[in-house]
Amino acid sequence: MILKVRGRGAFRHRIIEMGFVRGQMVQALRSAPLKDPVEFRILDSEVSLRRAEAELIEVLVCTPEEARAYAALQTGPVADMQASSDPQKAPLEKEIDSHSVIEVCMVGNPNTGKTSLYNALSGAFEHVGNYSGVTVDVKTTEFTYNGHRIRLTDLPGTYSFSPYSPEEKVVMAYLLDHKPDVLVNVVDASNLERNLYMTTQLIDMDYRVVMALNMYDELEASGAELDIAYLGTLLGIPIVPTIGRDKTGTESLLDKVIEVNEDRDKTVRHTHIPYSEEMEKSLHLLQEEIWKDPWYEPIYSSRYLAIRLLEGDTEWVGNAHLIEGLDALKAKAAAESLRLQKLFGEDVDQVFADYRYAFVRGALRETYKPANRGGLASTAGSPALSETDPGQGDVEAELPLVSSRRRITEKIDRVLTHRIWGFPIFLAFLWVMFQATFTIGQYPMDWIEAGVGALAAWLNSVLPDNIFRAVLVDGIVQGAGGVLVFLPNILILFFFVSIMESTGYMARVAFIMDKLMHTIGLHGKSFIPMIIGFGCNVPAIMATRTIESKKDRLITMLIIPFMSCSARLPVYVLLAGMFFKAQAGTVIFLIYLFGILVSILSALLFRHTILKAFDSPFVMEMPPYRWPTWRSVGRSLWVRGTQYLKKIGGIILVASIVVWALGYFPLSPEPAPGTEITPEMQARLDKEHLEQSYLGRIGKFVEPVIRPLGMNWEMGVCLLAGVSAKEVVVSTMSMIMDPAVSFTALSALSFMMFVLLYFPCIGVFSTVAKESGSWKWAVFMAVYTTLVAWIVSFLVFQIGGLFV
């Protein structure tokens, strides 16, 4: 039973006309002697298809008896059943819906609210932010809507489908490999002309598309008017207004996706972007060559493949599996590209871009009325587009006025990005963030700490003195509980980071820092992953995918571990609160700033030694400021808090039990019978037992290396345990030592510096290896960061010892 017919264009229409439709029964009869093609029976006729074409038809395999039962139930075409007013679906349709999955991919420019809409549609909790490049990898979820199973994929935001940046290559590879049924093109309603450029590429690619006109409330608030139905007709794409942050239009969008998937939407039609006559000649010439290739799959648009060849991009063509005659095809494309370049006097990709924008402007001239305008320029009276200059025409009449949101943004930017005050304001924001993290977080931290202590005391009083009580109290409660107390501090830190992301201030930070970053050979865009690193280094390293230059991206990856992640914050809060109580917030602020300084100096070193490269340009979209919604901020805190608790219940719990076991075994001999054990003697025996344990032996082994840093073997054990996750440093400390006794103010500062700079964690190590494409860079990062940590801590302790 046919569940779904994939493919596109003429091929798809041809087999549908032959009866290969959703819900129809088809029987495989026999293969040709060479296994290809295959003969099928459908609608009392025999049809042969090549295996490559047959694979585009998704079916549910059933027995002949089941097929006869389904046929008896089918009283009319599936389209008639879907149009029925009967609220109860026919059994056949239920069967189809329960087995068929609609593959839906979301594509769009960065910062169009794509991930917010993805969360609204699917109920997911993916990270969102008001700046470019929040989504850097593929996110997929599956859910059921009105009996239909939908697999929804959120792809990274891109401005086009040219594979020049890592995220564009990710999108291109996904579309080629997965062949989605429907694409949801998310468009920013307040920035139509720029966003619709990608839509023109989708038209050339001939995918089935539904446009989500997102943030539609901003277009309405501006006073502009848009004829959505007519624009959809011009584009051949149905358009649904949506507001992702409050779920407006999400059900209508899903309904439209299902209609398009089932070929029931009358707006959908195949259109062509009108290129010049000479360009069309070149495209048709290349298409004829593509059609000759026996490996060419009609699921890919030959027109778009020809365009990519003329633009000099062979990567898409290679991924589309054009094999035979590829060299000859490339040579012919190069000759045609050179001919067009001489004809138009500029690069071919620029010519295609001009015609696409001309098409967009023409469509908007027909359908869009900006605010505070008396009317639109008449297209009938506008000059015809020139053969060599498609951009000519009444451009001024089309330019929208600056929106009120943009005017407000400009006023705020005059202060926050001021050439003198912008940088001090950013530093002041960071100082307030860390001061609040310590001072406000201290109250709930004390309550949780008291609760953990009370739980440990109660367990000690009710449980017998045995190994079970030891592992429960000393390992689990003291270890994992010692990290749990810092949850409020973590949430406060992420609250401020969320405010930076959701308001659009994160992009301004990149703008402010560009000059400083430029001096080390990077640009301000590299600073966004660094700021994200305050939360966690792993997503920060993944966020470097938005950096176009491979060497810039690699340098940014290598310096991100110096950005102090939230896992290190408990160490700072504990030691700074203990030894620098009056200035604890300022000390933490300075530690974070020192991490930024070390990362910048390291980038400067790499740029002039192992990763020499030319300066890359700074190109970044500056989004308008938006008020953060409590929903988005609350969701962000919930996700971060849940991840922290899962980490406590996972890797931190396991590491705490391992550390406890290493400190518990081997067992020390029991004291002689009748020996009176005083509290002082018990403390001495416990200390001797810890020193003779496996944990103590490991600590004694590494102690000579860290002794010049003002650290003893217990601190060394804490640092080694922190390799798994930095929170384990605190949990280990709570199990084996009293920081107030073991540390001095100077050694505490040296210890915090080492925690700031040394090997981040296993998760970061594996992420660097994956994102860089080589384990050697991960090993280099581990060695380099630990070496820098040792040198800095050595200088802090030795030079500080001259004054303290």
Side-chain angles (χ1 to χ4, degrees):
M1 182 174 63
I2 295 176
L3 298 178
K4 183 188 302 181
V5 179
R6 299 182 184 273
R8 49 154 298 281
F11 161 76
R12 188 168 188 274
H13 289 296
R14 185 174 74 248
I15 62 172
I16 286 176
E17 289 168 355
M18 297 178 71
F20 289 86
V21 294
R22 182 174 181 263
Q24 190 57 256
M25 296 299 162
V26 59
Q27 182 182 2
L29 298 179
R30 62 189 63 84
S31 299
L34 297 179
K35 302 298 184 182
D36 209 1
V38 180
E39 185 178 350
F40 299 93
R41 175 176 292 130
I42 186 167
L43 294 177
D44 294 326
S45 61
E46 281 70 42
V47 178
S48 64
L49 293 176
R50 292 174 59 191
R51 289 184 180 273
E53 296 169 336
E55 287 175 356
L56 300 177
I57 303 173
E58 184 179 322
V59 297
L60 171 66
V61 179
C62 56
T63 66
E65 292 74 18
E66 290 173 326
R68 283 191 290 268
Y70 291 140
L73 289 170
Q74 187 174 5
T75 57
V78 175
D80 292 341
M81 292 191 297
Q82 292 162 339
S84 172
S85 59
D86 186 357
Q88 298 297 321
K89 287 186 174 182
L92 176 60
E93 188 182 357
K94 288 184 179 180
E95 189 68 24
I96 294 173
D97 291 342
S98 65
H99 286 86
S100 181
V101 177
I102 306 175
E103 296 279 357
V104 182
C105 283
M106 301 180 67
V107 296
N109 285 186
N111 208 46
T112 56
K114 187 162 49 64
T115 303
S116 294
L117 188 59
Y118 172 82
N119 290 337
L121 290 169
S122 64
F125 290 89
E126 296 298 341
H127 181 57
V128 298
N130 184 23
Y131 62 96
S132 302
V134 178
T135 302
V136 293
D137 59 347
V138 177
K139 296 176 171 53
T140 301
T141 186
E142 191 169 317
F143 59 94
T144 301
Y145 174 76
N146 284 350
H148 296 267
R149 292 169 62 201
I150 297 176
R151 185 177 295 120
L152 184 65
T153 300
D154 183 21
L155 297 177
T158 61
Y159 293 104
S160 73
F161 294 104
S162 304
Y164 301 133
S165 65
E167 69 270 19
E168 288 174 338
K169 290 183 178 180
V170 168
V171 172
M172 181 192 75
Y174 192 91
L175 292 180
L176 286 170
D177 292 341
H178 292 79
K179 308 175 184 68
D181 299 311
V182 181
L183 291 182
V184 173
N185 179 204
V186 183
V187 170
D188 181 357
S190 64
N191 196 354
L192 286 172
E193 186 171 350
R194 211 276 312 284
N195 278 244
L196 288 177
Y197 180 83
M198 174 180 281
T199 308
T200 64
Q201 289 186 305
L202 293 175
I203 292 173
D204 283 330
M205 294 161 73
D206 198 18
Y207 277 107
R208 290 188 290 174
V209 180
V210 176
M211 182 185 295
L213 196 61
N214 202 29
M215 297 184 277
Y216 188 68
D217 55 329
E218 294 187 10
L219 185 145
E220 291 182 312
S222 70
E225 297 177 10
L226 179 67
D227 189 337
I228 294 176
Y230 189 29
L231 179 60
T233 300
L234 293 176
L235 299 176
I237 296 173
I239 302 174
V240 179
T242 60
I243 306 173
R245 62 177 176 271
D246 63 8
K247 299 186 177 183
T248 299
T250 53
E251 291 188 0
S252 299
L253 181 61
L254 290 174
D255 290 336
K256 188 60 66 176
V257 166
I258 293 169
E259 286 181 24
V260 170
N261 180 65
E262 297 174 353
D263 297 310
R264 293 189 288 113
D265 186 272
K266 307 234 185 289
T267 306
V268 177
R269 64 187 180 92
H270 180 55
T271 60
H272 276 174
I273 305 300
Y275 300 117
S276 74
E277 182 179 350
E278 293 299 323
M279 297 168 74
E280 293 291 349
K281 285 181 181 178
S282 296
L283 291 175
H284 186 66
L285 179 66
L286 295 179
Q287 282 179 277
E288 288 183 331
E289 293 298 318
I290 292 171
W291 292 332
K292 294 177 184 178
D293 193 321
W295 295 96
Y296 167 64
E297 295 182 26
I299 194 171
Y300 302 115
S301 167
S302 60
R303 181 178 177 85
Y304 189 68
L305 294 176
I307 291 172
R308 301 309 301 167
L309 281 166
L310 287 174
E311 291 181 333
D313 169 32
T314 58
E315 201 162 338
W316 187 288
V317 181
N319 281 313
H321 310 299
L322 296 182
I323 300 175
E324 291 191 8
L326 183 56
D327 292 336
L329 180 63
K330 289 180 180 178
K332 188 167 289 188
E336 288 298 310
S337 180
L338 182 61
R339 183 182 73 85
L340 293 176
Q341 184 175 346
K342 290 180 179 178
L343 177 65
F344 289 96
E346 57 185 343
D347 292 339
V348 175
D349 57 348
Q350 179 62 52
V351 178
F352 275 108
D354 289 342
Y355 274 89
R356 286 177 183 140
Y357 274 118
F359 176 80
V360 170
R361 284 194 292 269
L364 291 179
R365 187 186 293 119
E366 295 276 353
T367 59
Y368 179 74
K369 181 179 179 180
N372 302 323
R373 293 289 182 97
L376 298 177
S378 171
T379 56
S382 62
L385 295 178
S386 167
E387 179 76 3
T388 58
D389 187 7
Q392 290 179 354
D394 190 8
V395 177
E396 286 298 322
E398 304 161 7
L399 296 177
L401 295 176
V402 178
S403 66
S404 59
R405 182 182 295 277
R406 284 290 178 183
R407 287 196 294 269
I408 295 172
T409 293
E410 289 177 5
K411 291 179 181 180
I412 298 174
D413 275 344
R414 287 179 193 148
V415 178
L416 296 186
T417 62
H418 191 272
R419 61 187 183 88
I420 296 176
W421 303 113
F423 197 73
I425 289 173
F426 170 57
L427 293 179
F429 178 84
L430 290 183
W431 181 85
V432 170
M433 178 171 71
F434 294 120
Q435 193 70 31
T437 298
F438 180 79
T439 55
I440 299 176
Q442 187 66 44
Y443 299 101
M445 176 183 163
D446 290 341
W447 302 335
I448 298 175
E449 189 174 22
V452 171
L455 177 61
W458 178 76
L459 291 174
N460 276 324
S461 66
V462 299
L463 295 178
D465 187 5
N466 53 29
I467 190 172
F468 173 74
R469 189 183 80 174
V471 69
L472 181 61
V473 177
D474 300 332
I476 297 176
V477 175
Q478 294 293 347
V483 179
L484 178 64
V485 299
F486 298 101
L487 176 61
N489 309 89
I490 301 295
L491 292 179
I492 293 172
L493 174 67
F494 276 116
F495 171 78
F496 281 92
V497 174
S498 178
I499 293 297
M500 291 177 67
E501 292 178 330
S502 56
T503 58
Y505 185 54
M506 185 74 83
R508 272 69 187 181
V509 171
F511 176 79
I512 293 168
M513 294 297 296
D514 179 60
K515 182 66 175 178
L516 178 60
M517 300 297 287
H518 183 72
T519 61
I520 63 174
L522 298 176
H523 52 61
K525 201 171 183 179
S526 296
F527 199 70
I528 287 183
M530 294 169 67
I531 292 295
I532 295 173
F534 284 167
C536 179
N537 288 171
V538 171
I541 291 170
M542 295 175 67
T544 61
R545 293 178 183 176
T546 60
I547 301 172
E548 289 80 6
S549 167
K550 184 176 181 180
K551 288 190 175 181
D552 286 352
R553 185 177 177 224
L554 185 55
I555 290 176
T556 308
M557 274 192 280
L558 294 176
I559 65 177
I560 280 175
F562 293 127
M563 307 303 292
S564 194
C565 65
S566 60
R568 297 162 176 151
L569 184 62
V571 180
Y572 308 151
V573 172
L574 177 66
L575 296 180
M578 191 173 290
F579 294 99
F580 309 97
K581 193 170 185 62
Q583 298 84 26
T586 302
V587 169
I588 296 173
F589 165 70
L590 293 175
I591 289 174
Y592 274 76
L593 279 190
F594 187 75
I596 296 175
L597 176 62
V598 173
S599 66
I600 290 175
L601 294 176
S602 297
L604 192 61
L605 174 64
F606 297 153
R607 174 63 73 184
H608 289 85
T609 54
I610 59 176
L611 290 169
K612 294 181 180 179
F614 297 106
D615 289 345
S616 55
F618 176 64
V619 181
M620 182 174 180
E621 183 179 357
M622 299 289 278
Y625 288 105
R626 291 186 172 94
W627 280 108
T629 63
W630 290 114
R631 178 188 181 89
S632 64
V633 174
R635 173 180 287 178
S636 176
L637 295 183
W638 173 263
V639 171
R640 299 295 189 180
T642 303
Q643 289 175 344
Y644 188 72
L645 292 176
K646 287 181 179 178
K647 200 173 184 182
I648 292 175
I651 187 172
I652 295 174
L653 180 61
V654 172
S656 298
I657 294 175
V658 170
V659 169
W660 168 85
L662 290 174
Y664 190 81
F665 297 103
L667 297 175
S668 57
E670 293 290 334
T675 304
E676 182 181 356
I677 306 297
T678 63
E680 293 78 10
M681 181 182 294
Q682 186 63 53
R684 180 175 58 80
L685 291 174
D686 290 343
K687 183 177 181 181
E688 291 176 355
H689 171 239
L690 186 60
E691 290 180 354
Q692 296 302 317
S693 67
Y694 297 126
L695 195 68
R697 296 172 192 178
I698 295 173
K700 294 290 185 181
F701 178 77
V702 301
E703 188 175 32
V705 179
I706 60 174
R707 178 62 68 183
L709 315 182
M711 304 181 200
N712 58 23
W713 70 267
E714 295 168 313
M715 302 175 195
V717 166
C718 294
L719 294 174
L720 287 176
V723 169
S724 59
K726 287 296 168 285
E727 296 96 339
V728 182
V729 173
V730 173
S731 65
T732 304
M733 200 179 293
S734 66
M735 289 188 289
I736 69 171
M737 63 188 295
D738 181 356
V741 175
S742 301
F743 284 99
T744 64
L746 185 57
S747 64
L749 184 59
S750 173
F751 188 85
M752 286 189 287
M753 285 297 177
F754 199 92
V755 170
L756 165 70
L757 302 173
Y758 89 115
F759 179 84
C761 68
I762 294 296
V764 173
F765 181 85
S766 60
T767 304
V768 169
K770 179 182 177 182
E771 295 295 316
S772 66
S774 173
W775 285 100
K776 71 176 184 179
W777 289 114
V779 173
F780 173 79
M781 178 273 299
V783 174
Y784 178 76
T785 54
T786 304
L787 180 62
V788 170
W790 194 94
I791 294 172
V792 170
S793 293
F794 176 83
L795 293 176
V796 167
F797 186 75
Q798 297 298 330
I799 295 176
L802 300 176
F803 304 98
V804 179

